[in-house]
Amino acid sequence: KQWYQRRVAITAGISGKNSFKANGLVNKHVVGIKAADKGVVLTTKSKGHLTSTTLSRGGRRTIKTIRAATAGSHYRPDLTEATIRKASAIIRSQKNKSVAKRRSRKYKN
């Protein structure tokens, strides 16, 4: 493989740790999550090629899709919770911050 293909496979590791379990190079199956413009990108490896899918139709649907893609299809059930945790953090960071309106009161003189 080219060096950039190996780099992509390594960065697809879900936990950010240097461990055998999360390494994208040595494992046959890879699960990765990263931020998209709106939503998250789920990366999996099939037949040696990385496949990216953009999930951008809401938080609950995204989590349901991730659960179905990992544990539901027996792909990498051990990484399901870590993947959901990372996707939830990304979705939470993409939400608009609601600013509380300042209420102005009329003071009695």
Side-chain angles (χ1 to χ4, degrees):
K1 286 187 171 183
Q2 299 290 335
W3 66 271
Y4 56 86
Q5 289 175 327
R6 281 184 281 188
R7 181 74 184 144
V8 170
I10 291 171
T11 56
I14 198 67
S15 63
K17 296 178 185 175
N18 183 15
S19 65
F20 183 82
K21 178 180 174 182
N23 195 332
L25 271 179
V26 296
N27 286 313
K28 187 177 176 183
H29 299 294
V30 176
V31 176
I33 288 282
K34 62 182 177 181
D37 292 335
K38 182 181 178 186
V40 296
V41 177
L42 175 69
T43 305
T44 55
K45 189 199 265 186
S46 63
K47 298 180 183 173
H49 299 290
L50 291 174
T51 306
S52 297
T53 307
T54 304
L55 308 173
S56 61
R57 292 190 61 187
R60 290 176 189 243
R61 181 177 277 229
T62 299
I63 291 171
K64 184 178 178 183
T65 305
I66 292 169
R67 198 173 299 243
T70 55
S73 61
H74 306 291
Y75 187 71
R76 279 300 294 269
D78 56 330
L79 295 179
T80 301
E81 292 305 316
T83 308
I84 289 173
R85 199 175 305 124
K86 190 167 184 178
S88 298
I90 292 170
I91 292 168
R92 200 177 317 120
S93 72
Q94 290 175 345
K95 282 191 174 183
N96 291 334
K97 303 268 184 189
S98 61
V99 178
K101 287 186 179 179
R102 288 190 60 172
R103 290 178 47 198
S104 60
R105 287 186 174 185
K106 294 183 179 179
Y107 292 104
K108 295 182 182 178
N109 290 337

